Amino acid sequence: MTRAKNSGRVDHPILWTLCVLVLAAAAFAGYLALGPDPTAFAKGKRVALANYRDTDPTGVPDELKSASLVERGEYLTHAADCMACHTAEDGVPFAGGRAFILPFGTLYSTNITPDIDTGIGSYSNADFLSSLHEGIGRGNTRLYPAMPYASYTYVSDADALAIKAYLFTLKPVKAPAPQNTLMFPFNQRSLMDIWSALFNPDKRYEPNVERNAAWNRGAYLAEAMGHCGECHTPRNLAFALNNRQKFAGSVQAGWRAYNITPDRSSGVGAWSDEDLLHYLSSGHAAGRGTASGPMGEAVDDSLKHLKASDLMAIVSYLRTVPSVATGDLPEPRTTPATATVAEVAAEPRGRAVYEGACAGCHGWSGISPGIAAANLTGMRSVNDATAINVAEVVIRGGERKVEAGPSNMPAFGSTYSDAEIASVANYVTARFGATKSHLTAAQVAKLRRQD
């Protein structure tokens, strides 16, 4: 009897420990799954769109209200930035095939031209809405959240169907998507049922009645249409957006999407409204920098096509997002550089590369002798101690036309070694930025693999 009694007492702490572990795991899962939605920071009462009595924040701006359904759909397709993801490099627009290299494999975007066999030509309105809002594609197949349906879920039905109407006017292209190469268990699409249940609210945008019409329009464009958080918001362990750190910055496809909260040092709090408007509409803001990589695509394929009133609404909305400080991003150095022995001695190889390939356009002070878009002074990327974006631009280059002059940055990935690219990136941050980076050749090699 004593042994049985003692045995029970021994088991008791084990049982309690198991209970605590189970509760802790459940609490952690709840913390992930029950995170705030994108506009929860604003508080206030939200209502269904049908019950909102102010200006409808969805649809197209006033200038296009009388346009045809297809014309409105074209504008909204730009607003939703569909082309960037659904177009392979040098491929046919919207025909898919773009590779997304993830830590657990590679995904390819699908064809959204109206081809019956390989595109969306057989999609009914209900099919299209299901794909956009629920992440359910052809044959009742779950889509991976590389398709940002957890953001597109807030797009109104009317706007989604206007986009469909425009896409169906495109020339059908027969282009099956390449086979995804994901490792186990990420190649199990059935897991997306669980992910969607946890992280996709499957509801349309609800205006906040305690905010004005411009704020609601900006929120709709930034969150539902432009899905800015998909790049600029960090992700949690389940790869869902962590809106507790909303717009604080993240690394996507090898590029760093910077902090766009109102923090003055590491965000855009020091930018004027004019700076932001010019950057969104042209990809360049004097003394702030020029968009490259995915942000350059977002400007060229999406933002520059929006009306000024819509861009201003986005800016107004961004100003209200809670400020988040990014510890490794110092306030950008805004004074032109002067040569110092320390900079030259620290990176002699980087200086040699810069002299041979960069100085002609970018200048030795960081102020270009002829192309304002090539100025380095004040750029966030050269004031980033990771130097990720500096290295990416050196590797891949970029050709864009902005008001500040053509930005035709050659790609030097095949010209210079990993060590040389790392060295010139470190030299650039030391010479023109607030903090020198310490990028390594191995890190540059990893960035190359993002192709």
Side-chain angles (χ1 to χ4, degrees), residues 25 38 72 85 145 148 167 195 232 238 305 314 321 325 375 392 420 440:
R72 284 180 278 131
C85 288
L167 292 177
W195 193 95
H232 288 279
H305 298 277
I314 293 173
V321 171
N375 290 344
E392 285 281 23
E420 287 171 320
T440 67

Side-chain angles (χ1 to χ4, degrees), residues 53-248:
R53 301 303 173 217
D54 207 332
T55 304
D56 186 347
T58 68
V60 295
D62 289 341
E63 300 97 310
L64 296 173
K65 291 295 186 185
S66 61
S68 69
L69 177 64
V70 169
E71 289 173 320
R72 284 180 278 131
E74 182 178 14
Y75 183 87
L76 294 169
T77 300
H78 281 304
D81 199 13
C82 304
M83 189 169 78
C85 288
H86 287 279
T87 305
E89 186 175 358
D90 300 323
V92 178
F94 301 106
R98 179 165 184 168
F100 293 87
I101 300 174
L102 307 171
F104 39 82
T106 302
L107 279 171
Y108 293 91
S109 64
T110 56
N111 179 352
I112 57 171
T113 72
D115 181 66
I116 295 292
D117 298 319
T118 65
I120 59 171
S122 63
Y123 276 40
S124 66
N125 285 350
D127 292 334
F128 193 80
L129 291 175
S130 181
S131 175
L132 206 68
H133 292 153
E134 302 173 61
I136 299 176
R138 180 191 299 274
N140 205 35
T141 301
R142 275 287 180 188
L143 303 178
Y144 288 99
M147 160 64 172
Y149 58 84
S151 292
Y152 284 155
T153 192
Y154 297 106
V155 173
S156 72
D157 288 5
D159 286 353
L161 295 179
I163 290 172
K164 175 177 177 284
Y166 168 69
L167 292 177
F168 270 59
T169 67
L170 301 176
K171 180 180 179 180
V173 178
K174 191 168 294 296
Q179 188 69 38
N180 296 329
T181 56
L182 300 177
M183 66 180 66
F184 182 85
F186 302 101
N187 59 355
Q188 303 300 303
R189 285 184 182 268
S190 58
L191 293 176
M192 293 302 99
D193 288 324
I194 300 172
W195 193 95
S196 294
L198 290 172
F199 302 115
N200 180 20
D202 189 19
K203 65 179 181 181
R204 312 297 83 81
Y205 180 75
E206 296 177 333
N208 187 326
V209 298
E210 297 178 28
R211 298 282 180 160
N212 63 28
W215 185 93
N216 277 290
R217 176 64 173 169
Y220 182 71
L221 289 168
E223 302 295 355
M225 282 289 177
H227 54 280
C228 304
E230 297 287 342
C231 286
H232 288 279
T233 295
R235 294 182 181 271
N236 60 29
L237 293 177
F239 292 94
L241 298 184
N242 175 14
N243 285 312
R244 295 181 177 90
Q245 295 286 307
K246 183 176 181 60
F247 291 169

Side-chain angles (χ1 to χ4, degrees), residues 333 336-344 351 364-365 427 431:
R333 173 178 160 188
T338 56
T340 68
V341 174
E343 287 172 357
V344 175
R351 187 189 189 285
W364 286 102
S365 67
Y427 178 78
R431 186 178 183 88

Side-chain angles (χ1 to χ4, degrees), residues 290-380:
T290 301
S292 299
M295 189 62 207
E297 290 180 345
V299 172
D300 291 341
D301 296 338
S302 175
L303 293 165
K304 78 176 186 182
H305 298 277
L306 302 189
K307 300 297 185 183
S309 61
D310 276 351
L311 293 177
M312 190 65 238
I314 293 173
V315 170
S316 299
Y317 174 70
L318 288 177
R319 295 301 197 193
T320 70
V321 171
S323 178
V324 180
T326 307
D328 66 339
L329 289 178
E331 186 171 355
R333 173 178 160 188
T334 57
T335 56
T338 56
T340 68
V341 174
E343 287 172 357
V344 175
E347 290 289 344
R349 176 187 284 178
R351 187 189 189 285
V353 173
Y354 187 85
E355 183 174 22
C358 314
C361 287
H362 296 289
W364 286 102
S365 67
I367 304 298
S368 172
I371 306 171
N375 290 344
L376 298 178
T377 301
M379 285 187 67
R380 170 57 70 194

Side-chain angles (χ1 to χ4, degrees), residues 416-433:
Y416 293 106
S417 67
D418 295 341
E420 287 171 320
I421 291 173
S423 188
V424 75
N426 293 334
Y427 178 78
V428 165
T429 57
R431 186 178 183 88
F432 306 110

